[in-house]
Structure formats: structure tokens, C-alpha cells
């Protein structure tokens, strides 16, 4: 049983070395192990619109009274495409590939 675990660990390390995983989070501060995520924008105006849309959506979705008091009452005030683009940029694609590889190793270990 211990040999199988060692083989699985070796296979995992080999898999991780084949492809560079863990690209989404960048180490921001080594003292507290915090990370940063990069969002790609074409200009400051696009960044401003993204943040504005996130804030507007949050206000409207979290507080029904705010909908009645705010000028942000129509759906057209929130650019849903911007929110979806942010979500797409934040998805950790390479990390998900690693999870797939780990799952395959797990399934192979269970079958043995």
C-alpha cells in the first residue's frame, strides 16, 4: 500500500513538472503569504467601468431598498458583460487542469 502511495506521489510530481500550473495567483507578500490576481484591461476607463459595474451590481443585488432610492434601477445601468469578463479572467484554468490530473491519479489508485 505504501509503495502505491509513493508511486502516486511520484506521478503527481512528474505531472506537475510537465506543465507549469498555478499561474493565476502571484505571490504578493512573502511575509503573510498573500497573493494577487491580474486583470487585463485596455485602459483606465475600462478599469473604472469594471469597478463601477461591480459596485452597482452589488448595491442593487444586496439592498432592495437601494433599488428604489437609487438612479441604478434599470438593468441597463449594469454592464453584465463586464462582470462576466472579470469572472472569466479570474477562473484558474491551469489549476483546474492540475485538479483533473489529480483526479485521474486518485481514480487509478482506487482501482488498484
Amino acid at each position: 500500500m505504501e509503495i502505491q502511495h509513493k508511486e502516486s506521489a511520484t506521478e503527481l510530481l512528474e505531472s506537475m513538472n510537465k506543465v507549469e500550473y498555478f499561474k493565476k495567483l502571484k505571490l504578493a507578500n512573502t511575509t503573510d503569504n498573500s497573493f494577487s490576481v491580474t486583470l487585463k484591461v485596455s485602459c483606465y476607463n475600462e478599469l473604472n467601468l469594471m469597478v463601477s459595474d461591480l459596485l452597482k451590481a452589488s448595491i442593487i443585488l444586496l439592498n432592495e431598498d437601494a433599488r428604489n432610492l437609487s438612479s441604478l434601477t434599470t438593468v441597463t445601468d449594469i454592464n453584465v458583460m463586464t462582470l462576466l469578463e472579470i469572472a472569466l479572467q479570474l477562473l484558474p484554468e491551469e489549476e483546474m487542469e492540475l485538479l483533473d490530473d489529480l483526479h485521474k491519479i486518485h481514480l487509478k489508485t482506487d482501482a488498484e
Side-chain angles (χ1 to χ4, degrees):
M1 184 71 159
E2 187 176 322
I3 293 173
Q4 289 175 340
H5 289 295
K6 285 182 181 179
E7 289 174 0
S8 294
T10 302
E11 188 176 347
L12 169 62
L13 291 173
E14 288 172 0
S15 174
M16 288 177 66
N17 289 330
K18 281 187 221 172
V19 180
E20 189 177 332
Y21 293 108
F22 304 114
K23 294 180 182 180
K24 187 59 68 177
L25 297 179
K26 307 292 183 207
L27 191 59
N29 189 341
T30 56
T31 58
D32 67 355
N33 291 327
S34 60
F35 297 90
S36 65
V37 177
T38 303
L39 287 175
K40 295 178 184 175
V41 295
S42 61
C43 61
Y44 279 101
N45 188 47
E46 183 181 1
L47 176 61
N48 186 57
L49 291 172
M50 279 183 177
V51 173
S52 177
D53 287 338
L54 282 170
L55 292 170
K56 288 175 187 177
S58 299
I59 291 167
I60 291 171
L61 295 173
L62 292 174
N63 188 344
E64 190 172 327
D65 292 337
R67 289 185 217 171
N68 300 330
L69 299 173
S70 173
S71 62
L72 308 174
T73 56
T74 63
V75 176
T76 57
D77 287 338
I78 301 170
N79 186 344
V80 177
M81 288 299 294
T82 302
L83 301 177
L84 293 172
E85 287 172 5
I86 292 169
L88 279 174
Q89 289 184 43
L90 292 174
L91 286 172
E93 295 174 23
E94 290 81 10
E95 288 83 346
M96 291 299 116
E97 291 175 16
L98 175 61
L99 286 175
D100 282 341
D101 290 345
L102 288 172
H103 188 245
K104 288 176 191 172
I105 292 169
H106 171 72
L107 290 175
K108 193 174 6 173
T109 304
D110 278 355
E112 294 173 352

